[in-house]
Amino acid sequence: GERKGDDRPPSLGCILAHNMGLGKSLQTVALLHTMLAHPALVKKGATGKRKSPRIFSRALLVVPVNTIANWENEFRKWIGNLGSGGGIGGGGGRDAKRSQEVPSVRFYNLNSVPSYHRSAMIAKWTATGGVLCTSSATFSPLCKPFLTTEGEGGGTDAAAAAERRRKVKSDPVYKALLNPGPDVIVLDEGHTMLKNSTTRIYKSLSAVKTSRRVVLTGTPLQNNLTEYFLMADWVSPGILGTEAAFNAKFTGPIMDGMARDSSADAIALHDARLTELHSVLSPFVHRRGADVLRDDPSIPPMQQAVLHVRQSKMQVKLYRAFKLYKKRSDAGNNFFDQYQKLRPVSNHPATLLYTVRSRAADEGVGG
């Protein structure tokens, strides 16, 4: 089941599979802040310089577009105010005393600038370090030209292809995002990005050479074992062998033993394979469910409230425009397709702006 010719680096990653509300965001902020700002994490033998270089300086955070503002707020909440130059932790005012105790970490929101300014922001992040936060929809178009060039082979245009590959390897965006890439990469809701090996986002993330990889997911063990394999394989390349070997050893027996009419032998094999799979993954997969909260007597019972929020005038206008578009087009009535298109409208207005900018970047349009 070992991979042949796999040039990916050895894994130093993990999957944080915690149910919603158990603090994945806070743990991520604490991890990245420690890696990027702890005074002990500097390279040895750097005497004579004004400031010793850090072991880790750049973190890449790839998230769903509708959570970007939340992530920036999380860094601001736990580290400090947004200081000058994009640094979080160096603010003033009533948090001035706290900012002196908490080292600054720069936070760059790649979706906050037009497509034609993103290369400049990536260059600044590369030079100064910090956290670069981007949506998956923005990350893929940035990687697309490099993936195409990397895949070119020989033939009559072998010399031209080699020249293009040489230019790609010297491109600052390529070096910053893919090879060698950031010091650590974190995927929020990673199961949505890694569930299909044929998608552009999966191919883009797989091209990142960074070995320190963290996946955040609220679905500890999915029914679709192929999706689970892809997520685990991205974090720890080759740990489960090839996809075909995984399906033969784990997916088939586990699924066969889940049917109501499964035989005793099938159920026994199901249990054995599931136990083995958990054993293989346990060193780098950390699971926590809602029972953690239910079983803690010091935590009061959770109460949920449903708030009905009236749509804004702009949202109503956008919904009506979409309804008219669907009526005039031949796009059909696929519910999930319509849901994906309308989701940005029902979220924060910035989400729609990020979506429009990402689409413009994908189509090569500035603005």
Side-chain angles (χ1 to χ4, degrees):
E2 295 296 328
R3 292 179 178 271
K4 302 298 183 182
D6 195 336
D7 62 348
R8 290 179 293 181
S11 170
L12 296 172
C14 67
I15 299 175
L16 197 62
H18 290 187
N19 275 33
M20 184 183 300
L22 297 184
K24 293 190 295 293
S25 299
L26 172 57
Q27 293 178 71
T28 301
V29 171
L31 171 66
L32 296 184
H33 184 258
T34 300
M35 293 180 68
L36 301 179
H38 196 283
L41 295 178
V42 295
K43 295 181 179 179
K44 297 181 179 180
T47 57
K49 295 185 178 181
R50 186 177 65 177
K51 188 175 181 180
S52 299
R54 300 200 57 80
I55 297 176
F56 312 110
S57 61
R58 294 177 296 113
L60 178 62
L61 183 58
V62 185
V63 305
V65 66
N66 60 331
T67 66
I68 292 179
N70 293 340
W71 274 104
E72 186 165 353
N73 290 336
E74 288 291 327
F75 274 86
R76 190 192 308 272
K77 174 182 178 180
W78 297 111
I79 298 178
N81 284 340
L82 185 62
S84 60
I88 292 181
R94 60 183 180 181
D95 283 344
K97 181 178 179 180
R98 180 186 177 192
S99 67
Q100 295 175 0
E101 301 172 353
V102 181
S104 175
V105 170
R106 294 177 182 272
F107 186 96
Y108 295 99
N109 180 354
L110 195 60
N111 284 61
S112 66
V113 297
S115 58
Y116 51 84
H117 283 163
R118 288 173 183 163
S119 295
M121 178 173 280
I122 292 172
K124 187 175 181 181
W125 167 65
T126 302
T128 63
V131 178
L132 179 68
C133 185
T134 177
S135 71
S136 55
T138 296
F139 183 73
S140 293
L142 287 169
C143 300
K144 182 181 178 181
F146 307 129
L147 300 182
T148 303
T149 305
E150 277 194 332
E152 293 176 345
T156 56
D157 295 330
E163 175 62 17
R164 285 193 292 271
R165 285 195 296 270
R166 185 191 65 79
K167 290 182 178 180
V168 161
K169 291 181 179 179
S170 63
D171 190 289
V173 174
Y174 171 79
K175 292 193 290 186
L177 298 182
L178 297 181
N179 190 6
D183 295 310
V184 58
I185 178 172
V186 179
L187 308 185
D188 184 24
E189 298 295 330
H191 59 280
T192 64
M193 306 177 199
L194 302 171
K195 63 181 180 180
N196 189 331
S197 60
T198 65
T199 60
R200 185 184 299 173
I201 182 60
Y202 181 90
K203 294 177 180 178
S204 299
L205 292 170
S206 296
V208 178
K209 301 303 181 183
T210 304
S211 59
R212 300 176 186 89
R213 305 175 175 189
V214 180
V215 171
L216 310 179
T217 176
T219 54
L221 182 58
Q222 304 167 57
N223 291 329
N224 190 326
L225 289 175
T226 299
E227 294 181 9
Y228 196 67
F229 164 81
L230 293 173
M231 185 165 58
D233 187 65
W234 184 81
V235 168
S236 185
I239 188 68
L240 296 173
T242 63
E243 186 173 348
F246 174 82
N247 289 335
K249 183 174 183 179
F250 293 106
T251 304
I254 290 175
M255 297 305 295
D256 289 344
M258 293 176 64
R260 285 187 176 183
D261 57 350
S262 297
S263 65
D265 290 342
I267 294 175
L269 184 58
H270 162 277
D271 294 343
R273 288 290 188 264
L274 201 58
T275 300
E276 182 180 356
L277 180 59
H278 286 168
S279 176
V280 172
L281 298 179
S282 60
F284 62 91
V285 178
H286 193 266
R287 297 182 180 87
R288 285 294 182 270
D291 56 302
V292 174
L293 300 179
R294 290 196 302 265
D295 297 341
D296 190 336
S298 65
I299 300 178
M302 181 178 66
Q303 295 183 352
Q304 293 181 329
V306 178
L307 301 179
H308 297 274
V309 181
R310 185 183 299 275
Q311 294 177 336
S312 66
K313 292 182 179 179
M314 178 57 70
Q315 285 177 316
V316 172
K317 185 177 180 180
L318 289 170
Y319 270 104
R320 288 176 176 172
F322 182 79
K323 185 177 180 180
L324 182 61
Y325 158 76
K326 296 295 293 183
K327 185 177 181 180
R328 292 178 176 177
S329 68
D330 298 326
N333 293 314
N334 186 300
F335 169 79
F336 292 103
D337 177 65
Q338 295 182 38
Y339 171 77
Q340 291 294 332
K341 287 184 170 64
L342 287 173
R343 189 169 61 171
V345 178
S346 61
N347 282 284
H348 191 279
T351 303
L352 183 61
L353 180 62
Y354 294 155
T355 302
V356 172
R357 285 177 172 172
S358 297
R359 182 172 298 174
D362 199 8
E363 296 173 353
V365 180

